[in-house]
Amino acid sequence: MVDVRYDLAFKLYPYEKVAASAPVRHPVVIVGGGPIGMAAALDLGRKGTPVLVLDDHEGVGQGSRAICFAKRTLEICDRLGAGQTMVDKGVVWNVGKVFHGDERVFEFNLQPEDGHSRPAFINLQQPYFEKFLVDEIRKAQADGCPIEIRGRNAVIGLEQHNDHVTVEVDTPDGPYQLEADWLIACDGARSPTRDLLGLSFDGRVFEDNFLIADVKMTADFPTERWFWFEPPFKDSGASALLHKQPDDIWRIDFQLGWDIDRPKELKEENIRARVDAMLGEGAEYELEWTSIYTFQCRRMEKFRHGNVLFAGDSAHQVSPFGARGANSGVQDADNLAWKLDLVVKGLAPDSLLESYSEERVHGADENILNSTRATDFLTPKSEVSKTFRNAVLELAQKHAFARPLVNSGRLSMPCVYDGLSLNGQDALKGPARSRVGTACADARLADGFLLNKLQDGFTVLAINAEVPTIAEVNGVDLKTVQLNTKTDDPHGDIAARYLGDAEGAIYLIRPDQHVVARWATATASDIETAVRIAIGQRN
């Protein structure tokens, strides 16, 4: 019998009995219907690759959990069709303020420049994020995209073979078996898939606990991220965080320390005492959801194991401060889907999937490094460290040079795949922000935004340059977008972000909008070679 471990916020894929039969082979099976699994399923299905999602519940669990979704995640969701719905529902913010005690240290703007279609961040409860992806899956299914979701289907056994995986699935009507050419494990930090394969998940657990309280109230606080070191509120711990969410919900985090009585701290009267101290006696509010979490920074050694691929928290885990969990997981799905699609269709060798592990291990290491640094700054491990931390905060109030040293959770940015195996030539003396390996920066055009033109497949972007027309390379479709800064770049965004001092440029851009190669001028052979590198066909 499949356990029901939590209550649902939205029942999205009710259980339906699977007809008894011999094991059916599926091209792609995804284990876990959270934001990462649903993003991967939607991306693959929209590309025409059949995908089956297995989830052990019938929808999205209650509790806000991940709430801060970054600009890059929203750009990915734009490509999947759900971005605007998320922004419409979410709380948009760009500004954060840092306090030490009752003194404001400084504030920062995460998106100080214009010319982007999406904000630096929105706050949106994870149940909504997942629901909006499932809503897009339903639309895609109606348009004929081959996506299937099975609720109350829990994976309880796996067996790897040379070219497929046998999966044993438990349901309310008993177990059954199926086969998968490829299996993507998106089943969270406690991944049953990882355990079934006996794989390690190594890293560091920090000796601290944080209390989350989702509070429903009407308040006139600005829509900003407020963070306190040594907050002035009674019994609020070593740090506190305040965020606004949709529906008049406010997220409050309190840093409690390591040696705590968890059941005692989760009692409503004790939570209310802390919240009352922050908001003031007599404040009217309702407690919507509470939880305690511990910082952990861990990852698997590699994210591909035969025909099983790991994404999101099943592959890597970081502390919540910095909004790196769900955002990096969505980038995993974005990286993996186009590669797996090409492999399933026979357009790329399965060795291309090694680059998924290479690139996203690189991303995970960057996130873990930043997350670890943030945690060490938040929770100094010695009096010397604490003295240094407080000195930095004092200096930052008056001196700009000290502000980059303040770390209240450096917020998620897309990593750059510098020096990795799918990169082609960088033969343009252009801006560093658009170098090979970067995710493309958005830019205003005369008729919209750049990223809207880079939505599907490989793209050759030609700016003030002639480019040979190439329809496909090794069966992989290639489209061309031509721009002229005199007519298409009224605000100068393209010139600043993609040309620099160059008069013209040609960029090859991957389906996940990362730059493969760039040139001042390029021949058909240059472009074809770069495409082959990007799809793992160097020879």
Side-chain angles (χ1 to χ4, degrees), residues 200-258:
S200 64
F201 196 46
D202 300 321
R204 180 177 172 189
V205 177
F206 293 87
E207 294 186 356
D208 224 320
N209 292 286
F210 291 77
L211 170 70
I212 297 174
D214 276 358
V215 173
K216 186 175 181 65
M217 64 180 178
T218 301
D220 58 1
F221 301 124
T223 306
E224 300 169 347
R225 179 190 193 259
W226 286 4
F227 186 93
W228 288 265
F229 291 96
E230 299 179 327
F233 331 116
K234 182 182 178 182
D235 296 329
S236 55
S239 68
L241 179 68
L242 178 69
H243 263 299
K244 185 179 182 180
Q245 305 175 66
D247 305 326
D248 290 323
I249 305 294
W250 296 78
R251 161 72 67 81
I252 302 174
D253 290 50
F254 297 108
Q255 183 180 350
L256 302 183
W258 180 240

Side-chain angles (χ1 to χ4, degrees), residues 79-149:
R79 188 172 56 76
L80 299 177
Q84 188 61 51
T85 306
M86 293 174 178
V87 173
D88 289 344
K89 179 66 177 178
V91 173
V92 173
W93 66 279
N94 293 309
V95 173
K97 292 178 180 175
V98 177
F99 302 85
H100 187 199
D102 55 8
E103 295 285 329
R104 193 179 81 176
V105 178
F106 71 100
E107 67 179 66
F108 55 87
N109 187 337
L110 291 167
Q111 190 159 291
E113 66 178 7
D114 294 327
H116 298 265
S117 63
R118 294 300 175 214
F121 277 88
I122 65 168
N123 287 351
L124 179 70
Q125 296 94 323
Q126 184 173 327
Y128 284 118
F129 188 90
E130 292 186 35
K131 180 182 183 300
F132 295 153
L133 288 174
V134 174
D135 289 346
E136 286 302 317
I137 286 175
R138 298 308 184 200
K139 294 176 187 177
Q141 289 171 326
D143 291 337
C145 293
I147 309 170
E148 182 183 357
I149 307 172

Side-chain angles (χ1 to χ4, degrees), residues 337-357:
W338 69 269
K339 296 174 180 177
L340 186 54
D341 173 69
L342 292 180
V343 170
V344 169
K345 292 174 179 174
L347 298 175
D350 70 25
S351 58
L352 178 62
L353 299 175
E354 296 297 333
S355 75
Y356 162 70
S357 182

